[in-house]
Amino acid sequence: MVMKQITFDEHHHQLTNINIWTADSEWLVYDLRPSGASFTSLTVERVNVASGQTETIWQAQDGAHVGVVTASPDLPPRYVCIHGPEHPDAGWTYDFHHRRGVIIRQGRAENLDACDITPPFTPGALRGGSHVHVFSPDGSRLSFTYNDHVMHERDTREDLRNVGVAVPLRAVCPPKQHPREYDGSHFCVLVSQTTSSPRPGSDEINRAYEEGWTGQTGYLRADGQRQRWALAFIGDTLSEKGEKVPEVFIVDLPEEMADYALAGGRPLEGTESQLPAPPKGVQQRRLTFTHSRAFPGLAQTPRHWLRSAPDGSAIAFLMKDEHGVVQLWTISPNGGEPRQVSQVNSDIQSAFSWHPAGTAVALIQDNSVMLCHVANGEMQRLTARTLEAPLADAVVCSPDGRKVAYLRNVNGWQQIFTADTGR
């Protein structure tokens, strides 16, 4: 077992749960938030895993903060992160609905999503805050989660978390009628549909989140045709009794870039009383139906994101077994019965990522970094068991498959480590 501490300075280092390696597997990107729940990092940075050399990717100015940085899957790397508002004041502070994505390349930052909060709204612009921006496996587009300023001002209960996609169709430049409006380089749309009052026992959801791109090149539909673009996400349904039950959903996305600009039954840009709506023909499908299980719904602890096998054949998630132990499960993007992969006696303790070979998933269990082999559920220990478990936030395989990056507390500071996979 070969593990290596990568960072040593007296800062908390925070890794995102995916896309934290540059494509050459040489650098890891991170921010300096003291915890996932705070947003006070002034910089996003990168560290060379061989030399330990660190570099600042971007430094925020004018009272803004940055964090949750991910890298593109190509070279030279592009980086994307959450950027808080500059010159925050009593009327506009950092919040779920007051933030944006910025793409950083060669030391320059550009807004990803445009903001237009004054009616009439602009198709392709958002009206609030985007977060956890993740490049698609080919680097051409990005997914994100979203909260809406317009609905938040109207009724906070109507500001529902949703999943969106940013495509490089064209720059979006709304008329600036409010000091907090700005342009964006990408055309952004929401692709999930939520309602503040889902019918108990139905497929309706009031929250869409923790999304993941499906397959390196999509997935094979039941009819044998390839669905090139799809996002899986968690959607919160209500049981017959009205209790929250998180389930797996998927949304198939247009192949043609221009089709993202085609409105469906409701305006892409939303209205004063409605959230932005998905493009024409974009319809979410529910994949899991767990309401009648002993422990219904996906595991809510640890926080995790849906992650697809590289070939798109399986979407992995965490759910309790009939004994109440959190296990790794998969389901086909075409639906059917979920498959229990792991058979462990104590909970899986973290978010996870697929090894690029598609045969194993890296995660934390029994206070160790493990590879869970998908064929038989066998657990391969990559780090010795420690008294304190590695942190649950991120366990991410390198693009070359040789290393896993994760976080540990060392003398009160969150530090970045890697473990060798032996593969």
Side-chain angles (χ1 to χ4, degrees), residues 328-348:
L328 181 73
W329 301 69
T330 60
I331 191 161
S332 163
N334 296 308
E337 282 302 307
R339 171 178 172 251
Q340 184 177 335
V341 177
S342 64
Q343 309 280 341
V344 287
N345 296 322
S346 62
D347 292 345
I348 287 170

Side-chain angles (χ1 to χ4, degrees), residues 11-152:
H11 287 289
H12 285 292
H13 300 77
Q14 189 69 43
L15 295 171
T16 310
N17 63 85
I18 195 79
N19 285 21
I20 56 175
W21 294 86
T22 53
D24 52 17
S25 300
E26 291 183 5
W27 298 83
L28 283 163
V29 297
Y30 60 93
D31 66 55
L32 299 176
R33 283 174 293 157
S35 76
S38 67
F39 199 79
T40 54
S41 182
L42 291 171
T43 56
V44 288
E45 304 184 359
R46 68 179 199 165
V47 59
N48 186 288
V49 291
S51 68
Q53 171 196 353
T54 61
E55 296 178 357
T56 298
I57 297 169
W58 185 253
Q59 176 142 8
Q61 305 286 339
D62 302 318
H65 295 99
V66 285
V68 196
V69 60
T70 60
S72 67
D74 46 23
L75 294 171
R78 292 164 289 155
Y79 304 100
V80 60
C81 69
I82 298 173
H83 204 298
E86 288 91 350
H87 306 288
D89 55 35
W92 201 278
T93 57
Y94 176 84
D95 208 327
F96 290 156
H97 57 292
H98 292 163
R99 49 189 180 176
R100 66 188 192 269
V102 295
I103 291 185
I104 303 151
R105 61 184 109 197
Q106 275 128 11
R108 293 187 54 212
E110 185 174 39
N111 291 340
L112 172 73
D113 39 316
C115 180
D116 183 0
I117 56 172
T118 318
F121 305 111
T122 306
L126 299 177
R127 322 177 319 176
S130 67
H131 28 100
V132 195
H133 311 85
V134 178
F135 283 100
S136 58
D138 72 340
S140 68
R141 55 207 71 192
L142 301 98
S143 71
F144 54 85
T145 36
Y146 174 75
N147 284 80
D148 194 88
H149 168 85
V150 174
M151 301 307 283
H152 196 275

